[in-house]
Amino acid sequence: MSSDKYELGMNEKEKSTQACTEEEKAPDKTLNLKLDFLVVGLCAANFLMQGLDKSNVGNAATSTFPKDAHLKPNDIPNAISCMAATFVTLQPVSVALARRGAVSMAHAGINGTKTLYALRLLLGALEGGFTPTTFYYLGTLYPHYMLGFRLGLFCGMYSIAGALSGLISYAIFHINNTHLHDWQLLFLIEGGMTIFLALLTLAIFPDKLSTAWFLNAREREHAVRRLAIDNPQFDAEGNQIEDPRKVIWRDVRDAATDWKKMLLVACNICATMPVYVFGVFLPVILKGIGYKTALSSNLMSVSPFIVGAVGVFVCVYLSDRYHTRSIPIVVSMALALVGFIVLAASKNNMLRYVFLHICLMDASNPGPLMAAWLSDNTPEMGTRSTIIGISGYSNLAGVIAGQLFKAQYAPSYSFP
């Protein structure tokens, strides 16, 4: 099957949507509402907490955290790279939400470089598999012409996490506690929130569509049928797949030898880097722009993140609405590039702050659309799970990002 399926796609979409009668399509609205609220909502909330657990070290860096924890100037950027290293290498085997929250809480006890590195390495190891697993899982719940928007809702939570992290940090840094530093309270509160949500997810999450407790019998039947129509379980040669959930060597070979998809994964490393940069270092960047205190730099990070989330939601909606992936990806990356040029070249801090909004509005868009493109154009389930897993290695961008924001580049960070 051509890997250009979705882009060539109006006829393909029409085939998949028109294969159902109007009567059969009627339950879509109620079914999607339930899936969006419970499944996508829970996945997005957990991704939001993952964003908080990743970014809180950047918020803490604007406070007395480096001094209190006896850290050297480049320890935090190096710790970010360490986390990304285990995040990438262990993602095939690692999804541990509650344990991730416990490790985030343990950051409150950091008292030196070794402790910081060890905890960030462990946090990356426990977070690694969550995103590609969710990408694949959502692809098994929705037809391809509905998937991009849901992946965008999921990924947009990373920007929401940045805004929420700024607000939480601003509030916590106002607390006067005689027993704990403000940054310790930050790690304890956000880690505790992650543990609570993980336990809630364990109690609510369905195993599969055919047994989902929140769907009635008609909705379960329709959910399974529309996926069968959208993606019949046949491979590219027309052979029926006996067990679509089983990954065999042929799936790995097909994924690894599809040069278009592998090129997209390589490009996604570059596209993902700004997401890492802003997700962790935006409060630090804002200190360089002129918001010198921990309170002001964290508060001023809220607005760019909110604009970024809105940008993601609008972009992925339009992508699904007009059945295209490449155009919004290219346009978003081009606009983000303009924003980065202004950030690097301008000496006007207000102008730089304005263009931070442009950067965040566009930099987060390619990730979910590239994941949707890979899912759209990989009908065989074993190959799809493999290529989505491989796409997770775009998080190598985090290793690079940590090294670009070292102390010697402060305060403007115009070089990276």
Side-chain angles (χ1 to χ4, degrees), residues 306-351:
I306 291 177
V307 171
V310 172
V312 172
F313 298 150
V314 171
C315 186
V316 295
Y317 171 78
L318 293 176
S319 175
D320 274 5
R321 176 69 177 82
Y322 293 104
H323 322 304
T324 181
R325 305 295 188 211
S326 60
I327 293 175
I329 289 173
V330 172
V331 170
S332 295
M333 295 183 74
L335 291 174
L337 180 60
V338 172
F340 279 114
I341 292 172
V342 173
L343 286 175
S346 177
K347 303 299 182 183
N348 185 317
N349 284 339
M350 182 54 67
L351 182 65

Side-chain angles (χ1 to χ4, degrees), residues 5 153 158 190 203 221 265 346 355 398 410:
K5 171 186 170 186
L153 291 176
Y158 199 76
E190 293 187 352
E221 180 181 353
V265 172
S346 177
F355 272 85

Side-chain angles (χ1 to χ4, degrees), residues 191-205:
M193 291 164 60
T194 298
I195 293 176
F196 171 77
L197 188 60
L199 296 176
L200 184 65
T201 301
L202 181 64
I204 293 178
F205 220 58

Side-chain angles (χ1 to χ4, degrees), residues 49-104:
M49 295 312 306
Q50 178 172 302
L52 290 180
D53 292 339
K54 278 185 179 179
S55 63
N56 54 20
V57 72
N59 299 109
T62 64
S63 70
T64 60
F65 171 52
K67 180 182 177 181
D68 297 335
H70 313 293
L71 302 178
K72 300 180 183 68
N74 286 326
D75 283 348
I76 291 179
N78 288 337
I80 300 304
S81 294
C82 288
M83 178 183 170
T86 51
F87 186 95
V88 169
T89 54
L90 296 179
Q91 61 186 353
V93 297
S94 173
V95 183
L97 300 179
R99 295 171 191 169
R100 184 185 81 203
V103 171
S104 182

Side-chain angles (χ1 to χ4, degrees), residues 119-197:
L119 287 174
R120 298 310 284 186
L121 285 167
L122 186 56
L123 187 63
L126 296 176
E127 286 187 354
F130 178 65
T131 302
T133 299
T134 304
F135 282 168
Y136 171 78
Y137 179 64
L138 293 180
T140 67
L141 302 182
Y142 293 94
H144 71 267
Y145 55 89
M146 298 179 181
L147 180 61
F149 182 61
R150 274 76 190 183
L151 293 183
L153 291 176
F154 173 77
C155 291
M157 288 300 106
Y158 199 76
S159 292
I160 297 294
L164 185 60
S165 185
L167 286 174
I168 292 174
S169 300
Y170 180 76
I172 291 175
F173 290 168
H174 272 94
I175 298 175
N176 293 319
N177 190 296
T178 57
H179 302 290
L180 295 171
H181 295 292
D182 49 13
W183 57 269
Q184 291 177 309
L185 289 173
L186 178 68
F187 288 125
L188 289 171
I189 291 172
E190 293 187 352
M193 291 164 60
T194 298
I195 293 176
F196 171 77
L197 188 60

